[in-house]
Structure formats: C-alpha cells, structure tokens
Amino acid sequence: QAVEVFGREHVAIVSNSAGTKDDPDYVDAILIEEKLGISVIRHDEKKPGGLKEVLEHFGFEDSSRLCMVGDRLLTDIVFGNLYGMLTVHTLPLCKGTDNKKDNVMAKVLRPMENQLLYRSWFVSSMIRSNTLKHRYWTEPEKYSLTIEDEK
C-alpha cells in the first residue's frame, strides 16, 4: 500500500542484512527488488548507522522528511528516532519459513524487545509519555498512529 500511496520512488527497504556486506554481491537485495519492485538501499553501516545512504537514495538533506517503518525497536525505530524521522513500529514483517535467513540475534532479540517494551504496562506507559516531538507531525494526540488489537 505504501507504493500506491507514495509512489515507487518514495519507498525503499533499509535492511541490516540484504544490501549490506552480509549480502555477498547483493544477491538478497536483488531478489527482494525483483520480487517486490522496491529498491533495497545498499549500505555498509548497519542501523542505527547508514543515514548517509538513505538520504542520498531519496535526495534529501533533512531526515525528518522520512518515515521509518520497521519491526525492530532497537534498530529500525531507534534509527528513525535518532535522526528525527517519523517512526512506525509494526509486527514482524516475515514469519516462519520466510524468516529462515533472519540472523540469530534478531530471532532472539525481537520477541524480547517487544515483550519488555510493549507488554510491560510500566515500560510502555513510560515510552508513550516520553514520545519525541516530530518536526512535521505536531499533533499526535489528534492524529494517532496507534492501532490497537481487536480482541
């Protein structure tokens, strides 16, 4: 849906595996690009590094004009927040066999991050009460991005 809304040239993937030195000859990056039709940004430094390549890809100097959508709090969301981007934390983008090439640390840490930072009432309330102000999205109370599970 992001491609439909923003256009192909305004959507890209920044992975800590595909498109990095861990991806010999960028084989995974190329497969993702062919399958999804979305660019995978090549970068040497893993998130929360790699801002230079992201800005160059989009032709921006101001990172607050970007939105980082990701399933890892301590890489994707920290990366976005560190550089003043709007950030959206999602459920894991891949599961099961689609995730078989995910690195071991990500497999172990992702559920722990989510459990600690979201399932704990105290920690999640602290996060929400200390949300960083965004340069352009100035009324989060009025235009919430939080989607609650319907149970």
Side-chain angles (χ1 to χ4, degrees):
Q1 289 179 341
V3 172
E4 292 172 23
V5 173
F6 300 107
R8 193 166 310 287
E9 68 279 3
H10 299 289
V11 177
I13 294 171
V14 183
S15 171
N16 269 351
S17 51
T20 69
K21 291 178 181 178
D22 292 345
D23 181 11
D25 299 322
Y26 302 123
V27 172
D28 288 339
I30 293 166
L31 285 171
I32 291 168
E33 289 171 335
E34 289 172 354
K35 198 169 208 176
L36 299 179
I38 300 171
S39 296
V40 175
I41 298 173
R42 283 24 172 207
H43 58 103
D44 291 340
E45 197 177 351
K46 293 188 177 196
K47 293 175 280 185
L51 179 65
K52 177 179 156 271
E53 292 88 344
V54 172
L55 292 174
E56 285 174 358
H57 176 83
F58 290 109
F60 289 157
E61 292 181 14
D62 178 6
S63 58
S64 66
R65 294 182 61 202
L66 298 169
C67 178
M68 169 59 74
V69 177
D71 63 350
R72 291 287 314 277
L73 289 165
L74 297 179
T75 56
D76 305 325
I77 303 307
V78 166
F79 173 76
N81 287 343
L82 191 62
Y83 298 111
M85 298 175 196
L86 182 64
T87 57
V88 177
H89 179 241
T90 68
L91 293 172
L93 302 175
C94 299
K95 292 183 178 182
T97 59
D98 291 337
N99 230 7
K100 68 182 175 206
K101 292 178 88 177
D102 203 358
N103 70 56
V104 174
M105 290 305 289
K107 286 180 186 177
V108 171
L109 291 177
R110 184 183 296 115
M112 290 172 38
E113 291 169 7
N114 293 338
Q115 185 68 29
L116 175 67
L117 298 174
Y118 280 109
R119 300 286 185 239
S120 162
W121 175 85
F122 177 75
V123 176
S124 65
S125 64
M126 291 297 294
I127 291 170
R128 288 191 175 107
S129 67
N130 293 297
T131 300
L132 301 172
K133 297 286 182 201
H134 188 266
R135 183 173 178 182
Y136 299 111
W137 185 53
T138 57
E139 298 181 80
E141 300 80 21
K142 187 174 178 181
Y143 304 103
S144 176
L145 292 178
T146 303
I147 300 172
E148 299 293 330
D149 287 338
E150 294 180 25
K151 292 185 179 180

